[in-house]
Amino acid sequence: MIAYRDALTYLYSFTDFEQRGFAAYAPEFYDLDRVRHLLALMGEPQRAFRAVHIAGTKGKGSTAAMFESVLRAAGYRTGLYTSPHLHTFRERIQVAGELIPEASLVRLVEEIQPLVAQVDGVTTFEIITCLAFAWFAESGVAWAVVEVGLGGRLDATNVLDPDVTVITPISYDHVAILGDTLALIAAEKAGIIKPGVPVVSAPQPSDALATIRDVCDRECAPLTLLGRDWTWRPGAADLDGQAFTVRHGNRDSLELQLPLLGEHQLVNATTAAAVLSVLEQGGLEIPASALKEGLQAVRWPGRLEILGREPLVVADGAHNPDSARKLIAALQAMGGYRDLIIVLGASADHLTPDLMSALLPGAARAIATQAMHPRAASAAWIQARAADLGFHLEVSGTVAQALDLALEEAGPQDLICCTGSLFVVGDARAAWFSRQSMPLPPRDPV
């Protein structure tokens, strides 16, 4: 049997857009026929479970984690497929809240190798998607919650026949690939909408919503829209979580608790509630307590995650301007801190002037750094791009060193925020746990 490291090396040996940068969003690069061919060779594992399929620019992973937690609280055996990961590849493929075991991944990789050899041009993400579906089928999953990797229309996950389709908030991201208008980006995201399959959408900018409506009308897919059919109201919040109220039309409101921070997470939680209602209308049996229990129990690290208290140390994977603005608003809503210190790292294609202009103006100090990821921009390059906009950034070679530098001068009333990408967040979490002599999360070999 090959080793776990060898299995990862095999997966990453194919065309890997996450590691090398994304190609034009066209069928010659993202080919669903390849995925269908490979799944057919594997015995069609994607037909062994029911699915919720989630696309969007922001909040896909959080919404997926919330709804998986709700389904699990209701007693269903669940699968969760998300990307990217923070520490270990195994985070991407989970069953019943547990990471896929190393030995199981190794075995599946060995089994799939001769089948992959029969499919020309298959990519890393396409193989991983098929592996996830195989693990779900083998594990007896009843419901899989599946997050789109990129876009939607041509994404490898779009071979699913889901019971409900979800579109989380759409904003500008990957514009060189998906299009430079919200209507074009929304058209790619809405490419996961299937004939007659219900759609739940978060509130959207007008151009994006118009596109989603048009696709739903064309596909005769009933649309549930947050802000119209479902509403929410924030309640009390502190560093441990937040209370909120949801209401479906004119029905009685429901009081809920969420351990995740930021008002934008209330949109994601309300989306999960709306999806649950749609599935209940389709005959799914859910105990009344499952929504409350599932949301209270959800864990989704690296999104406005509080690592330390004095000073306040926060890790958040904001990597586009809209996410950055929501992050700053959430930090300001926390209140009670003196100076804001930003530790910033990003890939070159995400570090836009708008992103830096959202993050840096309110920072008393900012440190540029580089995550341990092939697409991470160098700290010196980030410093130079920020200088072009009039921002002064210090430079530190690694995220761990940057965090140490921030902690050296931060007072108990200051706030340190590590952000710019999930790769930075993963490095920051590992550095913090090591610094605090806490057990490290499962990690992959370098």
Side-chain angles (χ1 to χ4, degrees):
M1 177 178 285
I2 63 175
Y4 176 63
R5 179 196 298 268
D6 298 328
L8 295 182
T9 298
Y10 170 79
L11 293 174
Y12 294 146
S13 70
F14 294 83
T15 301
D16 188 357
F17 296 127
E18 286 184 25
Q19 304 283 337
R20 307 175 190 178
F22 294 99
Y25 205 64
E28 59 264 35
F29 300 107
Y30 304 88
D31 187 351
L32 294 186
D33 286 339
R34 288 194 301 256
V35 184
R36 295 188 182 101
H37 185 191
L38 183 53
L39 287 170
L41 294 173
M42 298 170 68
E44 306 284 2
Q46 79 281 10
R47 302 189 185 282
F49 49 83
R50 300 172 73 179
V52 175
H53 199 195
I54 303 177
T57 305
K58 306 183 302 296
K60 299 191 302 292
S62 298
T63 303
M66 290 177 192
F67 195 67
E68 184 276 336
S69 185
V70 170
L71 285 174
R72 190 149 35 96
Y76 292 97
R77 187 162 176 82
T78 58
L80 178 64
Y81 182 54
T82 60
S83 60
H85 57 269
L86 287 173
H87 303 289
T88 173
F89 173 89
R90 298 188 297 122
E91 296 167 21
R92 298 175 179 233
I93 305 172
Q94 301 184 35
V95 168
E98 299 292 333
L99 313 187
I100 182 171
E102 288 188 8
S104 298
L105 180 66
V106 168
R107 175 177 53 79
L108 288 172
V109 166
E110 289 185 316
E111 292 173 358
I112 204 174
Q113 285 182 0
L115 307 180
V116 169
Q118 302 177 49
V119 184
D120 292 336
V122 68
T123 69
T124 292
F125 187 75
E126 290 165 358
I127 299 171
I128 295 169
T129 300
C130 294
L131 283 175
F133 294 165
W135 181 239
F136 294 162
E138 179 181 320
S139 302
V141 161
W143 281 91
V145 184
V146 177
E147 176 192 359
V148 163
L150 175 71
R153 178 175 62 95
L154 299 176
D155 189 77
T157 63
N158 203 24
V159 297
L160 287 171
D161 293 318
D163 286 71
V164 63
T165 295
V166 182
I167 311 291
T168 64
I170 292 172
S171 63
Y172 289 100
D173 198 12
H174 295 299
V175 294
I177 304 162
L178 301 179
D180 58 2
T181 69
L182 288 179
L184 289 172
I185 294 171
E188 297 296 347
K189 309 288 187 183
I192 70 169
I193 295 173
K194 305 294 192 302
V197 176
V199 177
V200 174
S201 175
Q204 305 289 357
S206 57
D207 289 352
L209 180 57
T211 299
I212 292 170
R213 287 182 187 274
D214 287 346
V215 176
C216 287
D217 289 344
R218 185 174 70 242
E219 300 293 348
C220 298
L223 174 63
T224 297
L225 181 62
L226 267 69
R228 181 193 68 185
D229 305 312
W230 284 79
T231 56
W232 67 97
R233 186 175 69 251
D238 57 27
L239 296 182
D240 296 312
Q242 52 187 329
F244 66 109
T245 304
V246 297
R247 182 188 294 273
H248 182 193
N250 294 322
R251 303 178 189 180
D252 292 340
S253 59
L254 184 62
E255 304 290 334
L256 300 168
Q257 296 280 338
L258 188 68
L260 305 183
L261 303 180
E263 192 167 339
H264 59 283
Q265 292 290 12
L266 303 185
V267 177
N268 299 329
T270 307
T271 301
V275 172
L276 179 64
S277 176
V278 167
L279 292 177
E280 284 181 313
Q281 293 169 23
L284 183 69
E285 294 184 3
I286 298 285
S289 60
L291 180 61
K292 287 186 177 183
E293 292 176 5
L295 290 181
Q296 284 180 320
V298 69
R299 296 293 179 267
W300 196 233
R303 285 75 174 178
L304 264 179
E305 181 181 10
I306 306 296
L307 298 178
R309 299 286 178 130
E310 291 185 358
L312 197 60
V313 180
V314 176
D316 185 87
H319 64 277
N320 64 44
D322 192 56
S323 296
R325 285 189 286 269
K326 285 182 168 57
L327 168 60
I328 294 299
L331 295 179
Q332 291 171 342
M334 290 179 185
Y337 64 85
R338 185 185 63 181
D339 287 336
L340 172 62
I341 302 170
I342 295 286
V343 173
L344 176 63
S347 57
D349 57 332
H350 274 127
L351 193 72
T352 64
D354 286 345
L355 175 67
M356 289 186 285
S357 295
L359 288 173
L360 297 175
R365 186 183 183 194
I367 304 168
T369 190
Q370 180 174 359
M372 291 186 291
H373 189 275
R375 290 178 58 216
S378 72
W381 187 87
I382 294 173
Q383 182 191 49
R385 300 291 78 75
D388 292 340
L389 299 174
F391 299 113
H392 171 70
L393 270 65
E394 302 167 60
V395 167
S396 186
T398 69
V399 176
Q401 292 168 348
L403 182 57
D404 286 344
L405 190 61
L407 288 166
E408 284 175 5
E409 295 189 18
Q413 302 304 314
D414 292 337
L415 189 157
I416 300 170
C417 182
C418 303
T419 189
S421 76
L422 282 177
F423 312 128
V424 169
V425 168
D427 287 359
R429 295 182 87 244
W432 179 262
F433 293 158
S434 178
R435 183 184 180 95
Q436 302 299 315
S437 298
M438 297 167 60
L440 292 174
R443 302 176 75 185
D444 286 341
V446 177

